[in-house]
Amino acid sequence: MKPKGFVRRTRQREVILEVLRGTKGHPTADWVYQEVRKTMPHVSLGTIYRNLKTLSEHGEIQELAFGSTHSRFDANKEVHYHFVCEQCGLIEDLDMPILEGLEEEVAQRGYRVVSHRLEFYGLCPDCAADEEAVSQAN
Amino acid sequence: MKPKGFVRRTRQREVILEVLRGTKGHPTADWVYQEVRKTMPHVSLGTIYRNLKTLSEHGEIQELAFGSTHSRFDANKEVHYHFVCEQCGLIEDLDMPILEGLEEEVAQRGYRVVSHRLEFYGLCPDCAADEEAVSQAN
DNA sequence: GTAAATGCAAAGAATTTGCTAGCCC
DNA sequence: GGGCTAGCAAATTCTTTGCATTTAC
């Protein structure tokens, strides 16, 4: 017997995954939509949303919300941390080691921990440089 | 000379702050609205949103987005970490020490770090207990 | 007195959903 | 061929905004 929620391979779904895997950014649903339309002009935004949801439910991608109103998606399935630039909006993966033992620490408080997220906020290198230039000018 | 963005003390703003400080939850704008209406039936949702925005811009409260589409607000101004139950939606503050040195580690990569957020996802103690009961029943 | 804030309603933005037709396995 | 999916558009949900009036300082 086939599993109930069997996920079918469709052309749309493949293109969406390709697009996500082909970017280092952390795109929004709408960005993905625009990209997919370059290949499939008739794709609908509803399909994008449904597939992004399905893919993240099946662990193929990660759905992330960084403070703002809309979600961002990441094809990087590994646990990793992010930096968010409050000036230009850039979101980057940080190449720092996963903190071991943290989840155990929380588990000792009675929680069953499945995952964790760590994000840093501030200015990215470029924006930090710009700001220094401005403050020197004054 | 008064600062430009001078914030006036209004009754609405006071009630909103009171409501937020009076709960340990991490309420949504709409929950705050319902609470404030108990005291001020004529308050408008727009006022709630405008004030929540103003308050968080002035550091009186924190605005948080936990994966879902809508924001939550927290009158706890101190840096602290959260646990999010994926079953019942509960969001709790964790009484664990702030990780020192983390921001420095990121700063060494060229970023100017202002803050960081750490969240754990999984099952809260109650939901974890429920699940164990179910799995034993089978 | 005047700038800031409110209430109300309408507009916006992001996401979800109902329905019919089509495609995958 | 049965059921998951797509396309399309309408509906929801959350949040923001314009404007006339009120209020804080």
Side-chain angles (χ1 to χ4, degrees):
Chain A
M1 170 184 156
K2 275 184 199 168
K4 249 191 186 166
F6 184 73
V7 176
R8 190 171 285 173
R9 250 174 83 110
T10 65
R11 181 105 187 78
Q12 288 75 349
R13 193 160 299 165
E14 278 179 0
V15 175
I16 290 171
L17 252 183
E18 265 170 42
V19 163
L20 273 172
R21 290 189 175 142
T23 179
K24 278 192 189 170
H26 297 73
T28 61
D30 196 67
W31 187 91
V32 174
Y33 175 51
Q34 302 303 338
E35 285 300 306
V36 173
R37 279 220 290 186
K38 291 178 184 171
T39 312
M40 310 180 100
H42 285 287
V43 76
S44 79
L45 193 50
T47 296
I48 303 292
Y49 274 104
R50 267 188 288 239
N51 276 302
L52 289 172
K53 192 176 186 181
T54 305
L55 287 168
S56 76
E57 279 170 359
H58 288 256
E60 293 292 315
I61 62 175
Q62 284 192 274
E63 181 172 359
L64 306 165
F66 293 100
S68 73
T69 46
H70 47 288
S71 291
R72 290 171 174 275
F73 299 88
D74 191 340
N76 185 345
K77 298 199 273 183
E78 315 269 311
V79 176
H80 60 286
Y81 302 146
H82 292 100
F83 184 88
V84 181
C85 179
E86 293 172 330
Q87 186 85 63
C88 68
L90 176 84
I91 298 174
E92 281 190 323
D93 293 351
L94 288 170
D95 64 332
M96 61 190 284
I98 299 311
L99 299 170
E100 304 292 345
L102 263 188
E103 296 192 357
E104 281 73 17
E105 197 174 334
V106 176
Q108 283 171 7
R109 289 166 167 76
Y111 299 96
R112 185 175 313 165
V113 185
V114 174
S115 63
H116 72 276
R117 281 181 54 181
L118 175 58
E119 289 144 28
F120 297 85
Y121 296 82
L123 298 183
C124 70
D126 286 352
C127 289
D130 287 353
E131 188 166 282
E132 265 161 44
V134 168
S135 67
Q136 284 187 5
N138 293 350
Chain B
M1 167 183 156
K2 277 184 195 167
K4 250 192 186 166
F6 183 72
V7 176
R8 194 171 285 177
R9 251 173 83 109
T10 65
R11 181 104 189 79
Q12 288 77 344
R13 184 126 57 210
E14 278 178 1
V15 176
I16 291 170
L17 252 184
E18 266 170 42
V19 163
L20 272 173
R21 290 189 175 140
T23 179
K24 279 190 187 171
H26 298 73
T28 61
D30 195 66
W31 186 92
V32 174
Y33 175 51
Q34 302 303 337
E35 286 301 304
V36 173
R37 279 218 292 184
K38 291 177 184 172
T39 311
M40 311 181 100
H42 286 287
V43 76
S44 78
L45 192 51
T47 297
I48 304 292
Y49 274 105
R50 269 186 288 236
N51 276 302
L52 289 173
K53 192 176 184 181
T54 305
L55 288 168
S56 76
E57 281 171 357
H58 288 257
E60 292 292 315
I61 62 174
Q62 284 191 275
E63 180 173 1
L64 305 165
F66 292 101
S68 73
T69 45
H70 46 290
S71 291
R72 289 167 173 279
F73 299 87
D74 192 340
N76 185 345
K77 297 198 273 183
E78 314 269 308
V79 176
H80 60 285
Y81 303 147
H82 292 99
F83 184 89
V84 181
C85 179
E86 293 173 330
Q87 186 86 67
C88 68
L90 175 85
I91 298 173
E92 282 190 324
D93 292 352
L94 288 170
D95 64 331
M96 60 189 287
I98 298 310
L99 300 169
E100 304 291 345
L102 265 188
E103 296 191 357
E104 282 73 15
E105 196 174 334
V106 176
Q108 284 171 5
R109 291 168 166 72
Y111 299 96
R112 187 178 309 168
V113 185
V114 173
S115 64
H116 71 277
R117 282 181 55 182
L118 176 58
E119 290 143 27
F120 296 85
Y121 295 83
L123 298 183
C124 70
D126 285 352
C127 288
D130 287 352
E131 188 165 283
E132 265 160 43
V134 169
S135 66
Q136 283 184 5
N138 293 347

